[in-house]
């Protein structure tokens, strides 16, 4: 009798796992000779698995018998307890009689003992037995579910090894296992909330579930990868350059799959999503009470399986473009853009069906591509660029290396803008939040793990900017104020600042705009402190140098020196104003908060920390303000000293207060030179100094002149006759007239002189009153800026008569 020769089934009936297995073990003609050994090995494995199933069935049977016996014991205990409760009720009714006169009978003592001692003990025992019963039922139910899961996992592995047509059966078994896993997780979640003392039971079940998942997930991923390979994924990268108008549908394998293959892919996709949702639920339960939102988030597994093979296939091209990184960004963006629509149309419904909430396939596709690009930049591009900058080469080579670095940063900024535009115009809600999630869609996340590269970038940016500013600072035209008319610019916000101020602000703004591309606040704060703060320090140094140069050459005595210092003050005021306006913005407030936190971590002395402000540039702003105020003070001090020197003869001439002014003169001759000097210097400052600081100068100057003349004349041993009082009044009127250009009532800024002259003008009768010089008299005469002693001295110097 002829033996029947078994025939192989057609390849279309073989599962993807079997095809992959045969290709791995019988891929050459030489390996065919090892087929008998392979068959023997497979038969041995199958025998072991069959034996494992038999052992599991036997164990399950023994467990069920034990459960039945235990259930009978619990039933017996509950029956006994029920009988005792019935007896207790009968006993209470028959012995609970109380005498009419209120005194207890013999049954009362027994009742009190039952209610006070025996009944609570019995209730406690009932509760304990109920807890034991519930624990036993829960443990047996969990054991049964875990057994089903382990059987399903073992069955899936067996079918993949033994059957050629096991693809659908294996997928169904996997889905049943996932469903059972979800039921198990529901029970564990309930136990964790209601019976937290059963921690050991939960831990034991988690251990067995983890072992099952350790087999189930890799197996599902392997099947998913095999399905993708059979679909033709990843597509050929050469097709990305095709000019076909309908290339998205023609070249995307996800749109071309049909029939059983599409059904298999959708089933496997759903299973993998369900597994991830289960994993997220488990982590959420296990991390209860901790920062779960950050810990439980994982990229979508099914999207990663699409991105990873495509990016691996593209690395052959990317490696040739290290010196031309613009091609790298262009290719990655094109891969991201050309396939993003299929994520919404085909895959998003499957993710929603798997109840995987909070995930957008479009966003996950984009973030996975950006993450792959960042990883490639960190491994292949940045190390080479970093090495080029660090090499000790000639100046031209170093300059070229820095230029290449900045060009790479420009490409990253442009790429991130394209990616954000791709998300914003997608019509879906943008779910990524600040910092942690923003890293997923930013190529600048490469700096998160390499702060040394961030510092190098800041150093290069700063070097380029300082080189440009060096030439600008040396050009005297950039320090010249273009003044039209006798006053400041029509725009008060300009502060009459020189052009060099705008150059510094422009470069600082460029640094700030570039730092906005960084995904984390801590990185932005670090970058701005490294690249932005030194620009402000450079500006401060330039201003201080020019002011000190003017002071050292002429002691600020000529008009050119005054103009030079006024220009520097205007520049400081303008930049200070811009910085204060910026620091009111939320962006800078957040960076300032980060900077403060970092300072608190680094500083050990609390005294230093308490002085820190919230703004990122507060330290530099305060330095600008201090420099401006210092040199504003020097301006009015220099003018006051010059005025003092020119009017010394005026204040030393005591005889002039005994007579009237010279005929034809409305002011004392000895005061004319000082007033002319004052008028000239103030005219120079009025034209060249910004309005706010000019107001401070003339008010401070008025206050200084007020004190100087008051102390030098009114409080000295000068005798004032009627003619002298008239002469002094005329001098004051001319002095006030100098300041009348900037205020309506200049005498209000000369309080001591005004009130002192008021006392001099009083009649002899008024000054000989018994209450003259008292506090009440000062109040009645509205003298608020002179003391009783000062009024008394002025009164003693007043002489009435001819």
């Amino acid at each position: 009798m002829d033996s029947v020769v078994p025939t192989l089934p057609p390849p279309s009936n073989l599962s993807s796992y079997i095809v992959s297995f045969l290709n791995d073990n019988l891929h050459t003609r030489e390996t065919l000779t090892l087929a008998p050994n392979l068959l023997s090995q497979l038969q041995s494995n199958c025998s072991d698995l069959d034996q494992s199933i038999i052992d599991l069935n036997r164990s399950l049977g023994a467990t069920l018998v034990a459960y039945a016996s235990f259930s009978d014991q619990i039933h017996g205990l509950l029956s006994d307890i029920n009988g005792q409760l019935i007896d207790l009720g009968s006993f209470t009714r028959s012995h609970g009689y109380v005498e009419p006169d209120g005194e207890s009978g013999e049954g009362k003592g027994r009742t009190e003992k039952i209610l006070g001692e025996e009944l609570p003990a019995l209730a406690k025992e009932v509760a304990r037995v109920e807890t034991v019963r519930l624990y036993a039922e829960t443990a047996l139910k969990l054991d049964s579910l875990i057994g089903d899961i382990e059987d399903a996992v073992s069955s899936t592995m067996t079918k993949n090894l033994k059957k050629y047509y096991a693809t659908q059966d294996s997928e169904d078994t996997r889905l049943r296992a996932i469903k059972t896993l979800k039921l198990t997780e529901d029970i564990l979640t309930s136990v964790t909330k209601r019976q937290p003392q059963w921690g050991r039971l939960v831990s034991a079940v988690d251990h067995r579930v983890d072992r099952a998942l350790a087999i189930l997930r890799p197996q599902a991923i392997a099947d998913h990868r095999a399905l993708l390979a059979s679909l033709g994924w990843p597509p050929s990268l050469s097709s990305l350059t095709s000019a076909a108008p309908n290339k998205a549908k023609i070249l995307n394998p996800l749109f071309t799959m049909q029939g059983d293959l599409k059904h298999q892919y959708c089933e496997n996709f759903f299973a993998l999503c369900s597994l991830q949702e289960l994993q997220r639920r488990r982590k959420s339960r296990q991390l209860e009470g901790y920062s779960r939102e950050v810990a439980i988030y994982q990229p979508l597994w099914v999207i990663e399986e699409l991105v990873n093979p495509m990016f691996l296939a593209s690395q052959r091209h990317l490696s040739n473009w290290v010196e031309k990184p613009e091609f790298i960004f262009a290719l990655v963006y094109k891969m991201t853009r050309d396939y993003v629509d299929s994520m919404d149309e085909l895959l998003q419904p499957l993710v929603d069906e798997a109840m995987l909430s909070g995930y957008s396939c479009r966003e996950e596709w984009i973030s996975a591509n950006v993450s792959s690009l960042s990883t490639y930049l960190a491994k292949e591009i940045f190390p080479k660029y970093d090495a080029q900058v660090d090499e000790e080469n000639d100046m031209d080579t170093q300059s070229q290396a820095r230029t290449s670095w900045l060009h790479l940063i420009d490409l990253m900024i442009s790429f991130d803008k394209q990616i954000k535009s791709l998300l914003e115009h997608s019509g879906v809600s943008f779910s990524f939040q600040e910092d942690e999630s923003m890293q997923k869609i930013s190529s600048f996340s490469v700096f998160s793990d390499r702060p040394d590269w961030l510092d190098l970038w800041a150093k290069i940016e700063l070097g380029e900017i300082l080189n440009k500013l060096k030439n600008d600072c040396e050009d005297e035209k950039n320090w010249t104020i273009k003044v039209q008319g006798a006053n400041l610019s029509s725009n008060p916000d300009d502060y009459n600042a020189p052009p060099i101020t705008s150059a510094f602000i422009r470069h600082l703004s460029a640094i700030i705009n570039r730092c906005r591309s960084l995904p984390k606040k801590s990185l932005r704060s670090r970058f701005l402190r490294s690249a932005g703060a030194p620009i402000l320090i450079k500006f401060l140094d330039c201003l201080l140098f020019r002011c000190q140069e003017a002071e050292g050459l002429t002691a600020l005595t000529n008009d050119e020196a005054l103009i030079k210092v006024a220009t520097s003050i205007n520049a400081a005021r303008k930049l200070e104003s811009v910085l204060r306006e910026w620091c009111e913005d939320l962006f800078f407030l957040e960076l300032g908060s980060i900077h403060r936190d970092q300072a608190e971590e680094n500083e050990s002395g609390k005294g230093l920390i308490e002085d820190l402000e919230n703004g990122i540039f507060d330290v530099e702003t305060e330095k600008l303000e201090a420099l401006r105020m210092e040199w504003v003070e020097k301006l009015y001090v220099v003018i006051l000293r010059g005025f003092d020197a020119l009017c010394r003869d005026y204040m030393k001439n005591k005889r002039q207060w005994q007579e009237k002014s010279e005929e034809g003169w409305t002011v004392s001759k000895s005061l004319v030179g000082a007033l002319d000097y004052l008028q000239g210097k103030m005219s120079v400052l009025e034209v060249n100094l910004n309005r706010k600081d000019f107001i401070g100068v003339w008010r401070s100057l008025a206050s200084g002149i007020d004190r100087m003349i008051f102390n030098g004349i009114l409080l000295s041993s000068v005798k004032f006759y009627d003619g002298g009082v008239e002469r002094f009044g005329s001098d004051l009127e001319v002095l006030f007239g100098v300041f009348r250009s900037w205020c309506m009532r200049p005498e209000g800024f000369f309080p001591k002189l005004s009130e002192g002259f008021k006392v001099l003008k009083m009649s002899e009768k008024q000054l000989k009153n018994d209450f003259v010089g008292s506090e009440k008299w000062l109040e009645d005469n509205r003298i608020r800026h002179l003391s009783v002693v000062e009024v008394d001295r002025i009164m003693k110097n007043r002489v009435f008569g001819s």
Side-chain angles (χ1 to χ4, degrees):
M1 183 176 179
D2 295 336
S3 60
V4 179
V5 179
T7 59
L8 290 173
S12 60
N13 291 342
L14 297 178
S15 68
S16 58
Y17 184 85
I18 294 299
V19 173
S20 176
F21 177 80
L22 293 175
N23 288 336
D24 291 341
N25 293 276
L26 302 174
H27 55 280
T28 63
R29 188 177 298 275
E30 288 75 9
T31 55
L32 291 176
T33 59
L34 302 176
N37 295 335
L38 181 61
L39 177 62
S40 176
Q41 183 181 356
L42 290 175
Q43 290 175 344
S44 176
N45 290 340
C46 290
S47 299
D48 293 340
L49 291 172
D50 289 338
Q51 186 61 43
S52 297
I53 292 175
I54 294 173
D55 293 340
L56 288 172
N57 289 331
R58 186 182 298 111
S59 175
L60 179 61
T63 303
L64 292 175
V65 172
Y67 172 72
S69 175
F70 184 77
S71 179
D72 292 339
Q73 294 177 9
I74 294 296
H75 181 72
L77 288 173
L78 292 176
S79 299
D80 293 341
I81 292 170
N82 188 45
Q84 292 180 17
L85 289 173
I86 294 173
D87 294 341
L88 177 62
S90 301
F91 181 81
T92 303
R93 286 192 296 272
S94 61
H95 295 83
Y97 173 76
V98 180
E99 293 291 336
D101 58 0
E103 295 183 1
S104 303
E106 179 182 356
K108 183 177 180 180
R110 177 59 178 161
T111 300
E112 289 180 349
K113 181 178 180 182
I114 291 174
L115 294 176
E117 298 179 9
E118 296 181 1
L119 191 57
L122 183 60
K124 185 176 181 180
E125 181 65 18
V126 171
R128 188 187 70 81
V129 172
E130 178 64 19
T131 302
V132 171
R133 182 190 65 78
L134 182 61
Y135 182 88
E137 290 182 352
T138 303
L140 288 172
K141 187 173 183 179
L142 287 172
D143 184 69
S144 175
L145 291 173
I146 294 297
D148 293 343
I149 294 169
E150 291 172 342
D151 290 346
V153 172
S154 177
S155 175
T156 303
M157 294 178 62
T158 303
K159 288 178 180 178
N160 280 335
L161 289 173
K162 294 180 66 175
K163 293 186 178 181
Y164 302 119
Y165 48 87
T167 301
Q168 187 61 43
D169 291 342
S170 178
E171 199 62 51
D172 292 341
T173 305
R174 182 183 294 121
L175 290 174
R176 287 198 300 271
I178 294 172
K179 184 177 180 180
T180 308
L181 281 167
K182 289 183 176 180
L183 291 175
T184 305
E185 182 60 29
D186 291 339
I187 296 175
L188 291 178
T189 302
S190 176
V191 168
T192 302
K193 292 180 179 179
R194 298 179 182 179
Q195 303 290 345
Q197 69 273 20
W198 294 356
R200 291 186 178 181
L201 174 63
V202 174
S203 177
V205 174
D206 275 339
H207 179 67
R208 293 178 67 181
V209 170
D210 287 337
R211 286 192 303 177
L213 288 174
I215 299 173
L216 200 59
R217 180 190 169 186
Q219 189 180 39
I221 291 177
D223 289 347
H224 190 76
R225 290 174 180 174
L227 277 172
L228 286 176
S230 64
L231 288 172
W233 189 274
S236 175
L237 292 178
S238 60
S239 63
L240 288 174
T241 60
S242 172
N246 206 19
K247 58 182 179 297
K249 292 186 178 180
I250 294 175
L251 302 177
N252 192 341
L254 298 180
F255 280 126
T256 58
M257 59 182 179
Q258 296 177 352
D260 292 340
L261 196 59
K262 181 176 182 179
H263 179 74
Q264 290 177 18
Y265 177 78
C266 293
E267 288 288 329
N268 190 269
F269 187 100
F270 178 79
L272 207 53
C273 289
S274 298
L275 272 177
Q276 185 165 4
E277 172 60 18
L278 173 67
Q279 184 75 1
R280 191 166 70 163
R281 287 179 56 194
R282 285 170 53 76
K283 280 193 175 183
S284 179
R285 169 176 57 81
Q286 293 167 351
L287 296 174
E288 186 73 35
Y290 299 93
S291 181
R292 295 185 296 170
E293 295 302 323
V294 176
I296 67 176
Y297 176 82
Q298 283 185 330
L300 204 55
W301 297 344
V302 287
I303 300 298
E304 283 190 324
E305 294 305 319
L306 291 172
V307 172
N308 291 340
M310 177 176 283
F311 209 85
L312 287 174
S314 69
Q315 287 191 11
R316 180 173 60 87
H317 301 281
L318 302 183
S319 60
N320 297 326
W321 296 336
V322 175
E323 301 299 330
K324 295 287 185 180
E326 56 269 21
F327 295 154
I328 296 176
F329 289 98
L331 177 60
V332 175
Y333 175 70
K334 191 164 182 59
M335 288 192 302
T336 306
R337 183 196 62 191
D338 288 352
Y339 296 98
V340 70
D341 291 336
S342 61
M343 304 300 135
D344 274 344
E345 297 176 21
L346 180 62
L347 303 185
Q348 187 64 47
L350 298 177
V351 172
D352 296 339
E353 184 182 354
M355 303 298 290
L356 199 55
S357 59
Y359 282 96
S360 165
C361 286
R362 172 182 286 266
E363 294 176 8
E364 290 297 320
W365 167 260
I366 293 174
S367 66
N369 278 281
V370 174
S371 178
S372 298
L373 173 62
S374 299
T375 302
Y376 184 79
L377 292 176
K379 290 183 178 180
E380 303 296 337
I381 305 299
F382 272 98
K384 294 181 180 179
Y385 279 51
D386 186 15
Q388 291 175 1
V389 174
D390 290 339
E391 289 178 358
E392 296 181 359
N393 296 321
D394 55 70
M395 294 297 295
D396 292 340
T397 306
Q398 282 283 333
S399 177
Q400 182 62 35
R402 291 193 294 268
T403 301
S404 299
W405 184 284
L406 295 179
H407 178 57
L408 177 62
I409 296 297
D410 291 336
L411 292 173
M412 293 170 66
I413 293 175
S414 177
F415 175 80
D416 284 359
K417 288 181 179 179
Q418 289 179 314
I419 290 298
K420 290 178 181 178
S421 177
L422 200 61
L423 278 168
E424 290 170 356
H425 292 84
S426 63
V428 298
S429 176
F430 188 62
S431 64
F432 292 107
Q433 301 299 321
E434 190 69 19
D435 279 8
E436 292 84 3
S437 297
M438 278 297 292
Q439 294 187 81
K440 302 179 183 67
I441 59 168
S442 174
S443 58
F444 282 87
S445 59
V446 68
F447 292 113
S448 297
D449 298 326
R450 292 299 301 266
D452 55 321
W453 289 346
L454 181 69
D455 294 339
L456 179 58
W457 173 28
K459 180 180 178 182
I460 293 173
E461 291 277 8
L462 178 62
E464 293 293 315
I465 290 176
L466 291 182
N467 286 336
K468 297 176 183 177
L469 289 173
K470 182 179 179 181
N471 297 329
D472 292 339
C473 291
E474 293 174 353
D475 188 355
E476 196 63 30
K477 292 181 180 179
N478 291 326
W479 293 95
T480 303
I481 303 174
K482 296 181 180 180
V483 180
Q484 296 180 354
N487 212 321
L488 307 179
S489 169
S490 59
N491 184 3
D493 293 336
D494 287 342
Y495 298 105
N496 215 16
I500 189 66
T501 312
S502 298
F504 272 88
I505 293 174
R506 184 174 64 254
H507 288 297
L508 185 60
S509 298
I511 287 291
I512 293 171
N513 289 333
R514 289 172 81 79
C515 96
R516 291 178 186 272
S517 302
L518 292 167
K520 295 179 66 176
K521 297 172 189 172
S522 58
L523 296 179
R524 296 175 205 152
S525 176
R526 181 169 183 156
F527 181 81
L528 273 187
R529 291 306 305 170
S530 299
I535 297 176
L536 297 175
I537 298 299
K538 173 67 176 178
F539 188 68
L540 277 164
D541 292 341
C542 289
L543 297 181
L544 182 60
F545 174 77
R546 292 181 65 82
C547 291
Q548 290 176 341
E549 184 181 40
E551 183 184 36
L553 292 176
T554 64
L556 304 180
T557 56
N558 62 15
D559 291 349
E560 290 184 2
L562 288 179
I563 293 173
K564 197 170 187 177
V565 172
T567 303
S568 299
I569 292 173
N570 294 344
R573 167 70 81 171
K574 173 65 175 179
L575 185 56
E576 177 191 343
S577 172
V578 170
L579 291 178
R580 292 196 185 280
E581 182 181 352
W582 284 353
C583 288
E584 293 176 358
D585 187 83
L586 180 60
F587 174 79
F588 291 94
L589 291 175
E590 290 177 343
L591 296 189
S593 177
I594 295 294
H595 177 57
R596 180 183 176 87
D597 294 341
Q598 292 173 346
E600 289 178 352
E601 293 177 1
N602 297 330
E603 291 287 351
S604 57
K606 292 185 178 180
L608 297 175
I609 297 173
E610 291 175 355
D611 294 335
L612 290 175
E613 301 290 340
N614 289 327
I616 186 70
F617 291 133
D618 274 0
V619 175
E620 290 73 24
T621 305
E622 297 300 328
K623 289 182 179 180
L624 281 170
E625 183 183 16
L627 181 140
R628 179 179 56 79
M629 294 178 66
E630 176 187 355
W631 288 94
V632 165
E633 182 180 358
K634 286 188 178 184
L635 285 181
Y636 84 77
V637 167
V638 166
I639 297 175
L640 184 63
R641 286 176 180 173
F643 181 83
D644 181 37
L646 292 173
C647 67
R648 284 178 185 172
D649 293 340
Y650 172 74
M651 288 189 290
K652 288 181 180 180
N653 188 359
K654 300 179 180 180
R655 292 179 56 84
Q656 63 183 332
W657 310 120
Q658 300 176 12
E659 54 191 22
K660 294 183 178 181
S661 302
E662 298 89 339
E663 189 173 344
W665 290 81
T666 58
V667 63
S668 300
K669 291 182 180 180
S670 56
L671 186 61
V672 171
L675 292 176
D676 183 64
Y677 168 85
L678 178 63
Q679 180 76 45
K681 296 300 181 182
M682 293 305 293
S683 297
V684 172
L685 292 183
E686 183 181 13
V687 172
N688 293 280
L689 189 62
N690 69 84
R691 182 177 286 108
K692 288 187 177 181
D693 287 313
F694 178 72
I695 291 173
V697 169
W698 75 253
R699 288 183 176 181
S700 299
L701 194 57
S703 177
I705 294 174
D706 181 51
R707 291 191 303 271
M708 182 184 69
I709 296 180
F710 180 80
N711 294 329
I713 296 178
L714 295 183
L715 293 186
S716 64
S717 57
V718 175
K719 299 301 181 181
F720 279 92
Y721 288 76
D722 292 343
V725 173
E726 182 181 346
R727 182 189 189 116
F728 187 66
S730 298
D731 292 344
L732 289 183
E733 185 61 28
V734 176
L735 175 64
F736 294 161
V738 175
F739 291 87
R740 190 164 278 113
S741 301
W742 313 304
C743 61
M744 296 296 294
R745 294 183 65 257
E747 56 271 16
F749 296 94
F750 295 85
K752 287 186 174 292
L753 286 176
S754 298
E755 293 182 357
F757 181 64
K758 183 178 182 179
V759 174
L760 289 176
K761 289 193 302 179
M762 289 182 179
S763 65
E764 184 177 7
K765 182 179 179 181
Q766 287 178 291
L767 294 178
K768 289 186 176 181
N769 191 304
D770 293 338
F771 298 100
V772 171
S774 65
E775 294 288 347
K776 187 177 185 308
W777 183 86
L778 293 178
E779 183 178 350
D780 291 342
N781 288 274
R782 297 182 179 179
I783 298 176
R784 301 182 180 87
H785 299 89
L786 300 182
S787 65
V788 173
V789 176
E790 290 171 338
V791 171
D792 184 62
R793 292 187 64 178
I794 294 173
M795 289 170 51
K796 289 179 180 180
N797 292 333
R798 181 70 168 92
V799 178
F800 294 94
S802 56

